[in-house]
Amino acid sequence: MRLFAVRGAISVDRDEAPPILDATTTLMRALIERNGLAPEHVVSCIFTATSDLTAEFPAVAARALGFDSVPLLCARELDVPGALPRVIRVLIHYYAEEGHVAKHVYLGDARALRADLQAAQ
């Protein structure tokens, strides 16, 4: 087994706890499915949110999916002028078998962040 990292992002419709949790759950489920992730193989998850998302921590959704023993960190994304609003990003470090290919996931309006990664759409 070796260490891998996978990225993901999703847009959120509004700054309220239910949409933030729903979007994070959708993103995490897609990353779990596409990468065969299991919480016991995950080393850590780092979430960022744009400054217009303050109603809830994205990590709350990850804990509800079984990542309660995984170190989770939430941080603020850089507030760059013209950047896409209401976006949650995640970087997950995990162990997988040699030869595994990390499959990044970008959903909703966040697809525009990495249009170069067709497999992530």
Side-chain angles (χ1 to χ4, degrees):
M1 304 257 295
R2 69 173 274 255
L3 185 63
F4 290 86
V6 67
R7 287 281 319 269
I10 191 166
S11 54
V12 181
D13 291 336
R14 59 191 182 283
D15 184 26
E16 296 174 7
I20 290 171
L21 295 175
D22 289 346
T24 306
T25 298
T26 298
L27 176 61
M28 292 297 290
R29 284 188 175 148
L31 284 161
I32 289 165
E33 181 181 317
R34 291 188 194 181
N35 291 284
L37 297 178
E40 60 270 17
H41 295 142
V42 174
V43 175
S44 64
C45 299
I46 301 169
F47 293 93
T48 66
T50 51
S51 61
D52 49 8
L53 294 176
T54 61
E56 185 59 275
F57 294 104
V60 170
R63 285 190 198 100
L65 290 173
F67 288 75
D68 50 319
S69 295
V70 175
L72 306 173
L73 177 68
C74 293
R76 177 71 54 219
E77 188 67 33
L78 291 175
D79 199 10
V80 175
L84 191 63
R86 296 182 312 280
V87 174
I88 295 169
R89 293 171 174 86
V90 66
L91 173 63
I92 302 174
H93 299 93
Y94 62 101
Y95 284 99
E97 296 296 326
E98 194 70 39
H100 169 80
V101 176
K103 296 174 182 84
H104 308 286
V105 175
Y106 290 79
L107 302 173
D109 292 343
R111 288 189 301 261
L113 297 172
R114 291 305 305 263
D116 60 313
L117 295 177
Q118 290 303 315
Q121 309 304 321

